[in-house]
Amino acid sequence: DGGITQSPKYLFRKEGQNVTLSCEQNLNHDAMYWYRQDPGQGLRLIYYSQIVNDFQKGDIAEGYSVSREKKESFPLTVTSAQKNPTAFYLCASSPGGLPADTQYFGPGTRLTVL
Amino acid sequence: AQSVTQLDSQVPVFEEAPVELRCNYSSSVSVYLFWYVQYPNQGLQLLLKYLSGSTLVESINGFEAEFNKSQTSFHLRKPSVHISDTAEYFCAVSDANAGNNRKLIWGLGTSLAVNP
């Protein structure tokens, strides 16, 4: 089955620790995205990548980092510089990153920082 | 800059009643419009989208939305809802002439609660 996988589903970390969230897709999509979702705030774009080895900051990139070394993988690192990291994180992909493209979402990772 | 307003944060409704979830966007430039649905503790999935052509678009599970350019709206409707329609619904817009700026602009979501 084609799709997007995110792991783990739930993640707990101590304050001050970096943590990396995994996102893998086997849809052969060029573009991938990371969103953060908080109650009542909708989806906010953290980073996006339209092609391998290239990525751009979204609206709330501070305290996060990404890499895109392979087409199918777009891991997100939440660093200790992110002041409020507890949130639901969603990864998505689309065929070409074009305005008309549908974005396909993974099941999400709920990160709790203690 | 483009923005999206979902006019109701929560919509409670009884089963088999009709529902309308309202969405307005700010700019009248050429746009593509989307509705996504998110069931509890899951990712989002596309419900329907307007790209061009007929202003009325339909989903496979009975939802429909109408693009109204003059009112810059893309309201989502269903004539009779089911308990299983309980979810968060997100409206999103992208600029059709975005060039390299190809991001979706998202509304804050509307929580639809269908009660028996």
Side-chain angles (χ1 to χ4, degrees):
Chain A
D1 285 339
I4 301 177
T5 56
Q6 291 185 245
S7 61
K9 190 171 180 63
Y10 298 96
L11 188 56
F12 297 88
R13 280 294 182 268
K14 291 183 179 180
E15 192 171 343
Q17 290 182 333
N18 291 356
V19 59
T20 297
L21 281 58
S22 168
C23 177
E24 303 278 333
Q25 56 102 355
N26 61 4
L27 299 168
N28 199 34
H29 285 172
D30 285 323
M32 297 187 75
Y33 311 81
W34 273 106
Y35 292 95
R36 171 180 172 140
Q37 186 176 26
D38 297 281
Q41 296 196 45
L43 275 72
R44 292 184 290 170
L45 183 64
I46 305 172
Y47 269 98
Y48 65 106
S49 167
Q50 296 190 53
I51 197 168
V52 174
N53 292 322
D54 187 44
F55 49 83
Q56 289 82 40
K57 292 182 179 180
D59 301 315
I60 56 163
E62 185 175 351
Y64 300 97
S65 65
V66 295
S67 63
R68 186 87 187 275
E69 298 176 359
K70 298 185 297 182
K71 187 175 186 177
E72 58 269 23
S73 179
F74 192 41
L76 173 75
T77 296
V78 184
T79 74
S80 57
Q82 170 47 236
K83 297 193 184 310
N84 296 297
T86 294
F88 190 49
Y89 290 88
L90 288 162
C91 179
S93 71
S94 66
L98 297 173
D101 282 350
T102 297
Q103 290 189 11
Y104 296 82
F105 284 80
T109 292
R110 189 167 297 279
L111 173 64
T112 302
V113 176
L114 305 171
Chain B
Q2 183 71 263
S3 65
V4 176
T5 301
Q6 292 186 239
L7 294 152
D8 306 291
S9 60
Q10 295 183 338
V11 174
V13 65
F14 288 109
E15 193 173 16
E16 297 184 4
V19 70
E20 178 180 77
L21 307 183
R22 296 179 292 169
C23 173
N24 285 91
Y25 60 97
S26 60
S27 173
S28 61
V29 299
S30 183
V31 294
Y32 300 130
L33 296 156
F34 306 79
W35 276 101
Y36 284 80
V37 60
Q38 182 181 32
Y39 299 103
N41 293 311
Q42 295 185 25
L44 282 71
Q45 51 188 281
L46 180 71
L47 191 59
L48 48 76
K49 64 181 179 181
Y50 169 80
L51 302 183
S52 65
S54 173
T55 57
L56 185 67
V57 290
E58 299 176 349
S59 72
I60 59 173
N61 58 353
F63 282 94
E64 64 179 32
E66 186 162 18
F67 168 54
N68 188 320
K69 186 175 182 178
S70 63
Q71 298 187 5
T72 59
S73 69
F74 191 55
H75 300 333
L76 182 70
R77 302 183 182 96
K78 189 171 185 180
S80 175
V81 293
H82 303 288
I83 297 286
S84 59
D85 293 323
T86 294
E88 190 86 12
Y89 291 79
F90 291 93
C91 181
V93 61
S94 65
D95 183 351
N97 302 311
N100 288 327
N101 183 11
R102 298 171 176 177
K103 297 184 292 184
L104 274 178
I105 309 301
W106 295 86
L108 296 184
T110 297
S111 179
L112 175 65
V114 181
N115 300 299

